[in-house]
Amino acid sequence: MYHFKILPVMSEMKKDILWRVILVYAFIFLVAVAIIAKVIIIQFPQGKEWKEIATEEKIHFETVEAQRGNIYDCQGNILASSIPIFDLRMDAASTEISDDYFYARVDSLAWYLSDLFKDRTKFEYLKELKQARESGNRYFLVKRKITYEELNKVRHFPIFELGRYAGGLIVEEYSRREMPFDVLASRTIGYQSEEAGVYVGLEGAYNTQLQGVGGQRLVKKIASGIWVPVSEEYDLEPQHGDDLITTIDVVLQDVAEHALMKQLEEQEAEHGCAVLMEVKTGRIKAIANLGRNAEGFYEEDYNYAIGEGAEPGSVFKLASMMVILNDHKIKTTDEIFTGNGITHYANRTMRDVHSIGDGHITVKEAFEHSSNVGISRIIWNAYQDNPGKYTDGLYAIGLNKSLGVEIAGEAQPLIKNPQSSSWSKVTLPWMSVGYEVKLTPLQILTLYNAVANNGKMVRPSFVREIRRSGQTIQTFEPVVLNPSVCSEDVARELKRLLEGVVENGTGKSLSDARYRIAGKTGTAQVADNDSGYNKKNYKASFVGYFPAEDPAYSCIVVVTNPTKGVYYGSQIAAPVFREIADKVYATRLDIQSGTEMPRDTVMLPDTARGYRSDLDLIYGMLGPKVNPLRQDTAWVMSVREKDHLRYRGIIVSDTAVPDMRGMGARDAIFLMESLGMKPRIVGKGRVASQMPAPGSPLQKGDYIILTLSPTLNLPFTHDTVG
């Protein structure tokens, strides 16, 4: 009986369980449908928005730029350097710093910051630091553009002394490229072009070595999209770039640039260049390129010596003489008839500046006096039936090939041949005197240097070695482009021709030097685009070497479009050559052949700045006359003027940075410290350049970088006192 009563109860229980299971499954089904629906919505209608959110990084590695290597001159003076600059920030809300620790030491931190930077009071720093802590600022800017020395001090300040991360210290490093000698050789040293974003000059040629290898730093994104370092254990330090040791001598560079600048300004020329090279090695000791800007001032705006290919004019006559002497078609003692200095080829007339003697002159005299008629007739008579023989001779020398110097932008030489589409009946005679060809000043200099080097043509070079952490890792030896552009006999004959130019011909203004110079003048008319040649545009040049008996240096000077009515190479370029050569010779005892100076000669710099009483004492001992200075000025500059010195007062005030170029290091340091600035000395010798520049607003407490260079003392003959 009880059995029948239990069955209905169990049946009811099963039904109840079944409904519960159904409800659970229904709920799960609905949840699954909702999830699928949400996925579909996220994937499609909202897909783009969520993908953008998903791609936002919260943590990543950022590149830490390596410090770019320095560029030095051959004496170890810095020509270009990356000065590290730092922005100082603080993670004021760092959880690594407890409130008790922060507030116990923030007062001291504020005092140290105020004492170091002197831009805000202690209370101002304290207020800002506390506000940053209370507002949760994890990227508080403490100070922009601090120096490495200042950063080292900051690392030991309260709170910051805990370390880069535990102390909340955030340092952002970047660098600024500086050239301590300002514009000296700036186009050759190079810089980063703002337009193209690439480096030019040596900076571009050796960019791989200079730039180093960047490091990595793990950073995370915090509020307001700011990225902060995570932990130093993940950092990969950058490998700093290698250093370049160039062939440039900054003292000789300064001489070349000032000599060229002075002549350009006097003649109001368009632009010019000067290059000084070692004969045996081809190493460039100085290269100046100056062009006039829109304001009328001269600056290093383009590397004319390397990049400007133009008709060289009479300096090309050396190449013509080399070819014809190599072919044994003439002797320099042979006679050539130039008549009244006028001759004709096809429908064109060629003229000399003036007739030479009675018109019956030797080949040597034609070269010495730069006779267009004489040289063109020599080449015409020898090669008119086979002009290809002449151009083959030029090609054999290598004049049709670029030099392959490391600096980009070298203009390709243009040396025609009879197969050229522009070859005409008059091309041969005009080529022989430097027209219808194009060469750069450096390519011309390399030819003359080969003659000075007894026929061996070497490639001009700008870098001597590469160093890493002070150790030499690569050296650059001289590269021979052509072991023999001519025989030694021909080289000796060509040397006699070049010496004759200075002794007897167009370069006679250089014959009174205390050493012998050999070289060639050049005056070329410059074609004015499509309007052809005119009587206004000229290119004046002088190229040669010294001392003539044992050549050590070769040099070329080119001045384009002088506007003062003087345009001959002997009048425009030769004086610049002479000034450069004089100052090189005065500093190189090993190339002086026992020449004795007059008794009343002393070695003095062109200018000197210093304390007046000190200079009075020095000049009183050496004996040169010094013109008195009317005003009572403690600091003076002495300037050489023929047989005496003249004082000029130096303006010293607490509002403008004085000009200290030419000052000794001791005087410069004393003067700057007395004005409240912090001098930093680079190099040895006298002050060659300074940052900030002379005349800049004087800010007490600021650093001033004084770059020193060895003093160039020159012979100074005066009337003996006593």
Side-chain angles (χ1 to χ4, degrees):
M1 185 173 62
Y2 292 104
H3 177 71
F4 291 103
K5 287 182 179 179
I6 292 172
L7 286 177
V9 173
M10 292 180 63
S11 176
E12 289 296 326
M13 289 177 62
K14 287 181 179 180
K15 288 181 181 180
D16 185 57
I17 293 171
L18 180 61
W19 276 109
R20 289 183 181 184
V21 170
I22 291 172
L23 289 174
V24 169
Y25 274 110
F27 177 77
I28 293 173
F29 175 76
L30 292 175
V31 170
V33 170
I35 291 173
I36 293 171
K38 188 65 175 178
V39 168
I40 293 173
I41 292 171
I42 292 174
Q43 184 68 27
F44 295 104
Q46 300 177 357
K48 184 178 180 181
E49 177 185 351
W50 285 106
K51 284 178 182 178
E52 290 177 355
I53 295 174
T55 56
E56 286 187 9
E57 295 181 83
K58 298 298 182 184
I59 187 169
H60 74 169
F61 281 99
E62 70 175 11
T63 300
V64 179
E65 183 181 354
Q67 184 171 327
R68 196 168 179 84
N70 294 333
I71 300 179
Y72 296 87
D73 84 335
C74 63
Q75 302 295 337
N77 297 299
I78 294 178
L79 299 178
S81 179
S82 292
I83 298 177
I85 303 295
F86 307 90
D87 283 352
L88 179 63
R89 294 181 179 273
M90 182 182 187
D91 182 358
S94 172
T95 56
E96 300 287 334
I97 308 172
S98 68
D99 284 343
D100 291 342
Y101 185 89
F102 179 86
Y103 287 108
R105 288 166 176 78
V106 68
D107 186 271
S108 297
L109 174 59
W111 185 90
Y112 277 105
L113 291 172
S114 177
D115 181 62
L116 176 61
F117 299 127
K118 295 181 173 55
D119 60 337
R120 283 168 277 181
T121 65
K122 168 199 164 181
F123 299 103
E124 288 173 328
Y125 268 114
L126 181 62
K127 179 181 178 181
E128 292 175 2
L129 290 168
K130 286 183 176 180
Q131 286 179 345
R133 178 74 174 183
E134 292 164 3
S135 63
N137 191 335
R138 308 203 63 183
Y139 200 59
F140 170 62
L141 176 63
V142 179
K143 180 71 175 176
R144 289 192 186 276
K145 298 181 179 180
I146 69 172
T147 65
Y148 182 72
E149 290 82 357
E150 290 170 334
L151 176 61
N152 281 337
K153 293 179 181 178
V154 166
R155 293 185 191 279
H156 296 91
F157 286 179
I159 302 178
F160 290 155
E161 63 190 356
L162 295 177
R164 294 173 61 186
Y165 302 103
L169 179 63
I170 301 173
V171 178
E172 295 182 338
E173 179 180 354
Y174 54 97
S175 62
R176 182 178 69 240
R177 201 66 168 168
E178 295 287 353
M179 299 175 70
F181 292 96
D182 298 325
V183 299
L184 283 184
S186 60
R187 283 296 305 194
T188 299
I189 298 167
Y191 50 84
Q192 188 172 24
S193 170
E194 294 182 1
E195 298 81 12
V198 297
Y199 286 96
V200 299
L202 293 175
E203 292 271 18
Y206 293 91
N207 184 53
T208 301
Q209 293 88 343
L210 287 166
Q211 69 182 359
V213 180
Q216 286 188 331
R217 177 171 57 190
L218 187 64
V219 294
K220 64 180 179 180
K221 184 184 289 187
I222 59 176
S224 303
I226 296 172
W227 294 89
V228 297
V230 175
S231 174
E232 59 184 339
E233 65 180 293
Y234 299 107
D235 290 359
L236 178 63
E237 292 296 325
Q239 298 176 24
H240 295 324
D242 300 331
D243 297 329
L244 294 188
I245 310 300
T246 71
T247 63
I248 301 291
D249 186 319
V250 74
V251 175
L252 301 181
Q253 177 68 33
D254 187 51
V255 168
E257 200 146 303
H258 279 82
L260 179 64
M261 175 81 76
K262 183 171 65 176
Q263 189 70 306
L264 291 175
E265 289 176 342
E266 287 180 3
Q267 302 301 327
E268 295 185 6
E270 182 180 300
H271 63 262
C273 66
V275 185
L276 179 71
M277 181 162 68
E278 283 184 348
V279 168
K280 303 298 182 185
T281 64
R283 288 172 177 157
I284 302 297
K285 308 308 292 182
I287 177 169
N289 296 278
L290 296 172
R292 187 167 54 189
N293 59 26
E295 289 75 33
F297 299 106
Y298 291 94
E299 60 184 6
E300 286 241 349
D301 60 341
Y302 183 72
N303 204 323
Y304 299 102
I306 293 175
E308 184 179 52
E311 293 174 310
S314 293
V315 293
F316 190 78
K317 291 171 182 173
L318 180 72
S320 294
M321 292 305 303
M322 184 181 291
V323 171
I324 201 167
L325 289 174
N326 278 341
D327 289 343
H328 307 289
K329 289 182 174 290
I330 204 168
K331 296 179 181 178
T332 58
T333 55
D334 291 347
E335 187 177 279
I336 188 75
F337 181 68
T338 57
N340 61 353
I342 299 175
T343 190
H344 302 277
Y345 298 99
N347 61 341
R348 291 186 66 182
T349 301
M350 183 174 288
R351 290 182 171 85
D352 287 335
V353 175
H354 53 76
S355 59
I356 305 170
D358 62 357
H360 295 275
I361 62 175
T362 64
V363 171
K364 183 174 183 292
E365 289 173 326
F367 188 85
E368 290 174 350
H369 294 277
S370 201
S371 171
N372 293 331
V373 172
I375 299 301
S376 66
R377 281 190 174 175
I378 292 167
I379 298 300
W380 178 260
N381 293 340
Y383 298 105
Q384 60 177 315
D385 295 329
N386 185 11
K389 178 71 172 172
Y390 169 74
T391 56
D392 287 346
L394 297 175
Y395 289 4
I397 296 170
L399 294 180
N400 61 316
K401 299 176 183 177
S402 61
L403 299 172
V405 294
E406 53 260 62
I407 295 176
E410 180 185 2
Q412 181 68 30
L414 172 62
I415 305 292
K416 295 180 181 180
N417 60 52
Q419 285 71 49
S420 301
S421 59
S422 58
W423 188 275
S424 70
K425 294 178 180 179
V426 299
T427 296
L428 178 62
W430 256 260
M431 278 185 67
S432 70
V433 296
Y435 291 92
E436 296 199 31
V437 297
K438 285 187 178 182
L439 292 170
T440 68
L442 190 59
Q443 290 160 358
I444 288 289
L445 177 61
T446 303
L447 172 66
Y448 278 73
N449 193 81
V451 172
N453 203 19
N454 299 315
K456 182 188 290 186
M457 181 180 283
V458 292
R459 174 182 292 156
S461 62
F462 296 88
V463 175
R464 198 178 67 195
E465 59 187 75
I466 298 176
R467 291 180 186 173
R468 180 177 298 160
S469 301
Q471 301 297 315
T472 300
I473 61 171
Q474 187 176 1
T475 58
F476 298 91
E477 298 300 328
V479 175
V480 178
L481 297 176
N482 189 334
S484 181
V485 297
C486 61
S487 67
E488 290 189 10
D489 289 340
V490 170
R492 279 193 293 271
E493 198 66 46
L494 293 171
K495 285 182 178 181
R496 282 193 284 268
L497 291 177
L498 294 171
E499 291 168 20
V501 170
V502 176
E503 293 169 0
N504 312 306
T506 56
K508 200 168 183 178
S509 62
L510 302 176
S511 62
D512 63 344
R514 294 174 52 249
Y515 52 94
R516 294 176 63 221
I517 295 173
K520 181 75 182 71
T521 59
T523 307
Q525 288 186 333
V526 180
D528 186 11
N529 298 324
D530 297 331
S531 59
Y533 301 98
N534 56 49
K535 298 294 183 179
K536 295 181 179 180
N537 298 340
Y538 288 92
K539 190 178 292 290
S541 56
F542 186 90
V543 55
Y545 52 84
F546 61 94
E549 62 275 8
D550 186 15
Y553 293 96
S554 60
C555 181
I556 187 170
V557 177
V558 181
V559 176
T560 300
N561 291 345
T563 61
K564 288 296 186 179
V566 181
Y567 46 81
Y568 291 116
S570 59
Q571 299 169 301
I572 299 291
V576 180
F577 183 102
R578 171 68 177 271
E579 186 171 347
I580 295 171
D582 277 352
K583 295 183 180 180
V584 172
Y585 188 80
T587 60
R588 285 290 308 271
L589 298 179
D590 56 321
I591 65 174
Q592 298 177 15
S593 53
T595 306
E596 293 186 4
M597 294 183 185
R599 284 187 175 183
D600 57 350
T601 297
V602 293
M603 301 297 287
L604 295 173
D606 266 347
T607 61
R609 285 178 170 85
Y611 203 60
R612 182 175 179 176
S613 60
D614 292 341
L615 291 178
D616 284 341
L617 177 63
I618 293 171
Y619 293 145
M621 295 173 62
L622 294 176
K625 289 182 178 179
V626 181
N627 278 20
L629 187 66
R630 292 181 180 177
Q631 64 265 38
D632 186 17
T633 307
W635 296 92
V636 296
M637 174 177 66
S638 65
V639 182
R640 294 157 56 115
E641 293 185 357
K642 295 183 180 180
D643 61 347
H644 67 277
L645 298 173
R646 178 182 297 277
Y647 276 159
R648 295 178 184 171
I650 296 178
I651 299 174
V652 177
S653 73
D654 58 1
T655 60
V657 177
D659 189 348
M660 290 169 292
R661 291 171 296 183
M663 238 181 229
R666 184 177 298 177
D667 281 343
I669 292 173
F670 174 80
L671 179 56
M672 284 296 91
E673 289 183 343
S674 68
L675 293 174
M677 297 192 75
K678 301 176 181 178
R680 293 179 58 195
I681 300 297
V682 179
K684 298 178 180 179
R686 289 184 174 272
V687 177
S689 65
Q690 61 184 81
M691 293 186 300
S696 301
L698 191 150
Q699 301 290 336
K700 292 186 178 182
D702 280 2
Y703 283 97
I704 181 167
I705 300 173
L706 303 174
T707 303
L708 310 185
S709 180
T711 306
L712 179 61
N713 293 321
L714 305 172
F716 177 59
T717 304
H718 57 90
D719 293 335
T720 306
V721 177

